[in-house]
């Protein structure tokens, strides 16, 4: 599927990956926006204790090593047609 359909799948709560990715077990997922009170670094020294932080929705990736990291699409990702929904 194309990138637009992959975004739709993410918004529907699915996980997606590209068939062309080398790492096993890698996938993307949508992190919903949230609101929380700051109580630890690094936000403590930026916003102050008790400040309300508006955490915007974003896309994260689970890496082949098991880490979760923020993800940004490359031009190649956006133009690729090898996106797949990952079975949960």
């Amino acid at each position: 599927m194309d990138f637009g359909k992959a975004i739709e799948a993410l918004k529907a709560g699915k996980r997606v990956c590209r068939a062309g990715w080398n790492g096993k077990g890698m996938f993307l997922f949508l992190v919903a926006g949230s609101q929380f009170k700051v109580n630890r670094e690094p936000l403590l020294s930026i916003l102050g204790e008790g400040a309300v932080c508006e955490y915007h929705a974003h896309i994260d990736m689970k890496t082949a090593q098991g880490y979760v990291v923020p993800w940004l699409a490359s031009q190649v990702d956006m133009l690729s047609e090898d996106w797949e929904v990952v079975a949960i």
Side-chain angles (χ1 to χ4, degrees):
M1 75 178 140
D2 66 23
F3 187 62
K5 294 216 183 319
I7 294 292
E8 288 177 20
L10 287 171
K11 287 180 176 181
K14 306 221 185 282
R15 299 172 184 171
V16 298
C17 70
R18 288 199 44 218
W21 284 346
N22 294 329
K24 297 291 182 199
M26 294 171 59
F27 60 83
L28 304 180
F29 59 97
L30 185 65
V31 177
S34 63
Q35 187 181 78
F36 60 89
K37 288 191 178 183
V38 173
N39 65 359
R40 63 183 175 149
E41 292 295 347
L43 293 175
L44 189 61
S45 61
I46 297 169
L47 301 176
E49 186 164 5
V52 175
C53 181
E54 295 285 339
Y55 204 66
H56 201 284
H58 63 280
I59 299 171
D60 278 353
M61 172 188 269
K62 181 186 165 287
T63 69
Q65 296 78 24
Y67 297 111
V68 173
V69 298
W71 182 80
L72 289 173
S74 70
Q75 290 185 38
V76 172
D77 289 324
M78 289 186 277
L79 296 172
S80 293
E81 305 262 340
D82 67 342
W83 287 96
E84 303 173 338
V85 171
V86 175
I88 297 176

